[in-house]
């Protein structure tokens, strides 16, 4: 747990980035009213602060704009750079206008500049914040490590700390129309279960997971895989070199595939079949008791 230092300045340099709690928390209904909700300071019970530090937090919390009912929000305050390792210490309030207390799990947070460009993106386990009381604002420091930062220096003003909403919903199956039309309901359900049981992707991770391989009568090999997209945005693949490796670790086939391009939506896995013609096949009798497909190093 990382405690705040006293802020170098008390004016707000960040801004609120709010989303409806219905998008994050099951069972939270969207409010239809237009009343505003004031939030009060809530300090983590394990924090031991001086009277001066608590005064600073209370002053900053009192300066926050009211929220709409049934929202959770991130309100940025200040950013420091850790000299030792280049990490960005993003000081913020996690705010809730819900009536009841809440606890949130792992969520990807994005630091955005004034134009909406992502300057840093990282997954955080928000359970570390503890239970957030209703109608409260809890200060916290989100430490973005250097490998999750995409800019030379942090923004001085007009930045936002935002939830990546895509990271809060379950990873799901995406099918091209040809697959939608060609598969039975049972086959689609089976693919959905496979996707649900796969290991969770890291933020911005893209990987390939094979689920069926067949040697054809003409000597070609058809390998069906999931293209798994952990990005918060759609990816488009135009050309993809792939190696097919069997249980012995030997390369069975190698080739480069031109796609037109192939799009994979954010936070989804799309099945696709790659056919290696006979001339791409390097091993006549592969052992497909286990196999992988990978991009050549």
């Amino acid at each position: 747990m990382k405690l705040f230092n006293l802020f170098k300045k008390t004016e707000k340099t960040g801004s609120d980035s709010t989303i409806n709690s219905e998008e994050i928390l099951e069972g939270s209904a969207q409010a239809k009213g237009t009343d505003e909700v004031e939030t009060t300071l809530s300090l983590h019970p394990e924090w031991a602060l001086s009277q001066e530090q608590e005064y600073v937090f209370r002053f900053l919390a009192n300066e926050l704009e009211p929220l709409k009912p049934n929202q959770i929000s991130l309100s940025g305050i200040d950013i420091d750079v850790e000299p030792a390792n280049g990490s960005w210490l993003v000081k913020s309030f996690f705010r809730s206008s819900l009536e009841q207390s809440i606890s949130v799990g792992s969520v990807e947070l994005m630091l955005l500049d004034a134009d909406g460009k992502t300057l840093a993106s990282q997954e955080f386990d928000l359970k570390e914040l503890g239970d957030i009381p209703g109608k409260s604002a809890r200060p916290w420091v989100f430490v973005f490590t250097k490998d999750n930062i995409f800019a030379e220096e942090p923004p001085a003003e007009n930045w936002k700390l935002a939830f990546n909403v895509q990271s809060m919903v379950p990873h799901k199956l995406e099918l091209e129309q040809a697959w939608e039309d060609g598969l039975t309901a049972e086959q689609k359900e089976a693919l959905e279960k496979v996707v649900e049981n796969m290991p969770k992707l890291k933020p911005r991770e893209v990987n390939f997971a094979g689920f069926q391989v067949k040697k054809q009568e003409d000597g070609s090999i058809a390998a069906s895989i999931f293209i798994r997209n952990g990005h918060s945005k759609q990816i488009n693949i135009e050309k993809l070199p792939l190696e097919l490796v069997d249980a012995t670790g030997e390369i069975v086939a190698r080739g480069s595939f031109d796609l037109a391009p192939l799009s994979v939506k954010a936070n989804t896995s799309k099945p696709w079949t790659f056919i290696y013609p006979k001339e791409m096949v390097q091993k006549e009798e592969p052992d497909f008791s286990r196999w992988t497909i990978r991009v050549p190093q």
Side-chain angles (χ1 to χ4, degrees):
M1 179 184 302
K2 191 173 184 69
L3 298 181
F4 276 96
N5 292 319
L6 283 179
F7 294 112
K8 297 176 182 177
K9 48 190 175 184
T10 55
E11 71 268 19
K12 288 178 62 179
T13 56
S15 58
D16 286 353
S17 175
T18 61
I19 60 176
N20 189 278
S21 60
E22 187 178 24
E23 296 179 288
I24 307 177
L25 306 170
E26 286 188 28
S28 296
Q30 182 175 6
K32 296 182 180 179
T34 57
D35 295 338
E36 293 183 331
V37 178
E38 299 281 351
T39 57
T40 58
L41 177 66
S42 169
L43 296 173
H44 194 283
E46 294 183 10
W47 280 21
L49 302 179
S50 67
Q51 186 175 9
E52 183 183 7
Q53 287 175 315
E54 186 170 341
Y55 172 81
V56 173
F57 291 135
R58 199 167 300 282
F59 173 82
L60 292 170
N62 290 339
E63 291 291 299
L64 296 172
E65 296 293 329
L67 296 177
K68 293 180 180 179
N70 290 338
Q71 284 189 315
I72 64 173
S73 164
L74 292 169
S75 183
I77 303 167
D78 197 6
I79 304 175
D80 284 336
V81 178
E82 182 69 56
N85 55 29
S87 296
W88 290 2
L89 312 182
V90 181
K91 304 169 185 178
S92 307
F93 283 102
F94 183 100
R95 307 177 66 202
S96 170
S97 65
L98 298 172
E99 294 286 342
Q100 72 275 21
S101 65
I102 60 168
S103 176
V104 184
S106 294
V107 176
E108 184 182 2
L109 301 184
M110 301 182 296
L111 182 65
L112 309 175
D113 68 9
D115 299 321
K117 181 181 177 182
T118 302
L119 304 179
S121 177
Q122 186 171 315
E123 186 174 283
F124 294 91
D125 186 0
L126 300 190
K127 288 182 180 178
E128 294 182 358
L129 278 70
D131 291 335
I132 310 298
K135 300 181 181 179
S136 70
R138 176 158 292 180
W140 202 254
V141 179
F142 297 99
V143 181
F144 286 83
T145 57
K146 196 169 183 179
D147 56 345
N148 290 301
I149 297 171
F150 319 123
E152 293 296 323
E153 56 185 27
E157 57 185 14
N158 297 326
W159 53 271
K160 294 181 180 180
L161 188 62
F163 297 102
N164 176 4
V165 179
Q166 286 291 339
S167 71
M168 302 174 190
V169 298
H171 191 89
K172 62 183 181 180
L173 175 70
E174 180 196 0
L175 295 175
E176 285 281 312
Q177 193 60 50
W179 287 69
E180 283 279 5
D181 298 338
L183 297 177
T184 66
E186 291 78 12
Q187 289 171 324
K188 293 176 188 176
E189 184 177 351
L191 289 177
E192 287 173 352
K193 288 182 178 178
V194 172
V195 170
E196 288 175 5
N197 292 326
M198 284 182 176
K200 185 178 179 182
L201 290 169
K202 297 177 182 178
R204 303 183 306 280
E205 180 183 1
V206 176
N207 69 25
F208 308 103
F211 63 91
Q212 182 175 278
V213 64
K214 288 184 179 180
K215 195 167 183 179
Q216 310 295 315
E217 291 183 2
D218 62 0
S220 64
I221 297 177
S224 297
I225 69 172
F226 287 110
I227 303 174
R228 308 182 66 216
N229 180 17
H231 280 264
S232 58
K233 296 181 180 179
Q234 175 176 297
I235 61 171
N236 299 301
I237 306 173
E238 296 186 1
K239 194 165 188 174
L240 188 61
L242 289 174
E243 292 177 341
L244 179 62
V245 181
D246 73 358
T248 67
E250 295 179 343
I251 295 175
V252 176
R254 178 190 282 133
S256 184
F257 297 89
D258 290 317
L259 307 169
L262 179 64
S263 64
V264 184
K265 293 180 181 177
N267 201 28
T268 67
S269 289
K270 173 173 283 188
W272 200 256
T273 299
F274 295 90
I275 299 177
Y276 293 90
K278 185 177 181 179
E279 55 269 22
M280 290 185 183
V281 178
Q282 301 179 14
K283 186 175 181 179
E284 292 297 324
E285 298 296 331
D287 178 3
F288 284 139
S289 58
R290 287 183 297 105
W291 61 279
T292 56
I293 199 163
R294 66 191 184 194
V295 175
Q297 297 298 317

